[in-house]
């Protein structure tokens, strides 16, 4: 299933209590990040004092959703030493946090004993799972959604297990 930013925005806006996101890849090749990643490679870093330069419209959406009381959490399982892409993500995660998102990082070596689904996912209110499927090079392929209780339970348990072991962003250094 293809998904636009506006349809995803509708989905996250429909959350009433929680939206959690588990990322398990060390590299993503997402077209809308190409320019920012290239600039980062050339030495550009986001200025914490210049909110207007941050990633829009995502951060506005997070701020809107968290303002209505939805807890938005993101956990990333990462290899160490981290890939160049993970270092890039880490460099601007402060913007997500400023918008209201909570972020934690779990070194992959600490995830070995966890039961994890095969794909990254979003879980909304503990009931709707959206899997984001990527190819081997990190390019987005498609999205699958399910409200199957067993699948939602697996994802909820996996996310919480990762969250409990993971390091809060302000304590995770690269």
């Amino acid at each position: 299933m293809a998904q636009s930013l506006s349809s995803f925005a509708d989905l996250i806006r429909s959350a009433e209590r929680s939206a959690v996101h588990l990322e398990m890849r060390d590299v993503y090749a997402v077209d809308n990040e190409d320019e920012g990643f290239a600039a980062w490679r050339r030495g550009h870093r986001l200025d914490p004092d210049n909110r207007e330069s941050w990633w829009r419209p995502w951060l506005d959406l997070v701020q809107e959703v968290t303002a209505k009381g939805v807890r938005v959490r993101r956990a990333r399982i990462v290899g160490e030493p981290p890939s160049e892409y993970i270092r890039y993500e880490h460099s601007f995660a402060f913007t997500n946090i400023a918008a209201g998102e909570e972020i934690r990082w779990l070194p992959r070596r600490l995830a070995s004993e966890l039961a994890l689904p095969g794909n990254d996912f979003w879980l909304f209110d503990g009931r709707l799972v959206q899997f984001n499927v990527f190819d081997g090079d990190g390019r987005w392929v498609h999205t699958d959604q399910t409200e199957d209780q067993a699948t939602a339970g697996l994802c909820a348990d996996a996310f919480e297990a990762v969250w409990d072991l993971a390091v809060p962003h302000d304590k995770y250094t690269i």
Side-chain angles (χ1 to χ4, degrees), residues 60-114:
D60 296 328
L61 179 61
V62 169
Q63 194 166 3
E64 172 190 334
V65 169
T66 57
K68 73 174 195 172
V70 174
R71 187 175 184 200
V72 179
R73 296 183 292 160
R74 179 186 311 252
R76 291 182 169 126
I77 298 174
V78 296
E80 289 186 322
S83 69
E84 182 180 40
Y85 183 85
I86 293 300
R87 291 192 319 271
Y88 162 67
E89 280 193 326
H90 188 272
S91 77
F92 66 81
F94 72 90
T95 67
N96 298 65
I97 292 165
E101 193 173 343
E102 299 171 56
I103 298 177
R104 291 189 181 180
W105 305 81
L106 181 65
R108 190 171 314 284
R109 65 185 161 69
L110 300 178
S112 297
E113 296 180 12
L114 301 180

Side-chain angles (χ1 to χ4, degrees), residues 7-157:
S7 66
F8 183 78
D10 292 343
L11 186 59
I12 197 169
R13 282 184 182 116
S14 73
E16 296 176 0
R17 297 175 315 284
S18 66
V20 301
H21 186 42
L22 182 61
E23 296 180 348
M24 299 181 283
R25 300 183 54 83
D26 285 320
V27 176
Y28 293 88
V30 183
D31 291 340
N32 68 350
E33 292 182 342
D34 288 347
E35 187 178 314
F37 191 31
W40 179 86
R41 282 177 156 165
R42 293 189 302 271
H44 173 74
R45 298 299 181 266
L46 293 178
D47 180 353
D49 297 324
N50 183 3
R51 285 179 171 249
E52 294 307 311
S53 69
W54 298 355
W55 183 22
R56 299 288 196 271
W58 173 251
L59 297 174
D60 296 328
L61 179 61
V62 169
Q63 194 166 3
E64 172 190 334
V65 169
T66 57
K68 73 174 195 172
V70 174
R71 187 175 184 200
V72 179
R73 296 183 292 160
R74 179 186 311 252
R76 291 182 169 126
I77 298 174
V78 296
E80 289 186 322
S83 69
E84 182 180 40
Y85 183 85
I86 293 300
R87 291 192 319 271
Y88 162 67
E89 280 193 326
H90 188 272
S91 77
F92 66 81
F94 72 90
T95 67
N96 298 65
I97 292 165
E101 193 173 343
E102 299 171 56
I103 298 177
R104 291 189 181 180
W105 305 81
L106 181 65
R108 190 171 314 284
R109 65 185 161 69
L110 300 178
S112 297
E113 296 180 12
L114 301 180
L116 300 169
N119 292 292
D120 291 6
F121 65 84
W122 278 92
L123 176 63
F124 301 96
D125 292 330
R127 63 167 185 77
L128 173 64
V129 181
Q130 175 170 296
F131 291 106
N132 295 318
V133 180
F134 295 88
D135 70 14
D137 293 321
R139 290 183 300 259
W140 180 83
V141 175
H142 68 272
T143 298
D144 294 323
Q145 290 181 356
T146 183
E147 291 189 66
D148 176 74
Q149 281 188 323
T151 303
L154 167 73
C155 291
D157 290 347

